[in-house]
Protein backbone atom coordinates (compact mmCIF):
# COMPACT_ATOMS: atom_id res chain seq x y z
CA UNK A 1 0.00 0.00 0.00
CA UNK A 2 1.15 3.56 -0.57
CA UNK A 3 1.74 6.07 2.22
CA UNK A 4 3.70 9.29 2.59
CA UNK A 5 6.53 9.54 5.13
CA UNK A 6 7.93 13.00 5.82
CA UNK A 7 6.62 14.21 2.48
CA UNK A 8 8.08 11.31 0.45
CA UNK A 9 5.96 8.56 -1.14
CA UNK A 10 6.64 5.10 0.28
CA UNK A 11 5.23 1.63 -0.35
CA UNK A 12 4.72 -0.58 2.70
CA UNK A 13 3.06 -3.97 3.18
CA UNK A 14 -0.56 -4.25 4.35
CA UNK A 15 -0.76 -4.31 8.15
CA UNK A 16 2.38 -2.23 8.53
CA UNK A 17 2.51 -0.33 11.83
CA UNK A 18 4.13 2.93 12.85
CA UNK A 19 6.85 0.91 14.61
CA UNK A 20 7.52 -1.06 11.41
CA UNK A 21 8.17 2.20 9.55
CA UNK A 22 10.48 3.40 12.34
CA UNK A 23 12.43 0.12 12.18
CA UNK A 24 12.78 0.34 8.42
CA UNK A 25 14.13 3.88 8.74
CA UNK A 26 16.58 2.90 11.49
CA UNK A 27 14.74 5.00 14.07
CA UNK A 28 13.17 2.28 16.23
CA UNK A 29 15.44 2.97 19.19
CA UNK A 30 15.51 6.75 18.94
CA UNK A 31 13.28 9.18 20.71
CA UNK A 32 10.90 10.46 18.04
CA UNK A 33 7.42 11.88 17.71
CA UNK A 34 5.11 10.16 15.23
CA UNK A 35 2.12 11.85 13.67
CA UNK A 36 -0.31 10.06 11.38
CA UNK A 37 -2.59 12.39 9.44
CA UNK A 38 -1.66 15.19 11.89
CA UNK A 39 -2.63 13.12 14.95
CA UNK A 40 0.10 12.35 17.50
CA UNK A 41 0.59 8.63 18.12
CA UNK A 42 1.88 8.05 21.67
CA UNK A 43 5.00 5.86 21.87
CA UNK A 44 3.12 3.13 23.72
CA UNK A 45 0.60 2.83 20.84
CA UNK A 46 2.98 2.92 17.86
CA UNK A 47 3.45 -0.87 17.70
CA UNK A 48 -0.29 -1.47 17.46
CA UNK A 49 -1.17 1.46 15.20
CA UNK A 50 -1.70 -0.02 11.73
CA UNK A 51 -1.28 2.29 8.78
CA UNK A 52 -3.88 2.62 6.05
CA UNK A 53 -3.60 3.38 2.34
CA UNK A 54 -2.68 7.04 1.71
CA UNK A 55 -1.84 7.81 5.37
CA UNK A 56 0.56 10.71 5.86
CA UNK A 57 3.21 9.92 8.47
CA UNK A 58 5.49 12.57 9.94
CA UNK A 59 8.44 11.47 12.05
CA UNK A 60 10.14 14.14 14.10
CA UNK A 61 13.45 13.24 15.76
CA UNK A 62 14.50 15.13 18.85
CA UNK A 63 17.97 16.67 18.80
CA UNK A 64 20.01 18.10 21.63
CA UNK A 65 21.36 21.54 21.07
CA UNK A 66 22.84 24.42 22.84
Amino acid sequence: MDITVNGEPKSVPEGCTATDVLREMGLAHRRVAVLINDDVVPAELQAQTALKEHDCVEIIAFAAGG
Side-chain angles (χ1 to χ4, degrees), residues 35-54:
L35 291 86
I36 299 176
N37 302 322
D38 295 323
D39 292 324
V40 175
V41 179
E44 62 271 12
L45 298 179
Q46 292 171 4
Q48 61 199 43
T49 302
L51 299 171
K52 297 181 288 301
E53 182 81 20
H54 303 297

Side-chain angles (χ1 to χ4, degrees), residues 5-6 22 25 27 30-36 38-41 46 57-63:
V5 178
N6 291 348
L22 292 174
M25 297 180 69
L27 298 172
R30 293 197 48 202
R31 187 174 177 104
V32 296
V34 176
L35 291 86
I36 299 176
D38 295 323
D39 292 324
V40 175
V41 179
Q46 292 171 4
V57 180
E58 292 294 324
I59 300 169
I60 303 167
F62 296 99

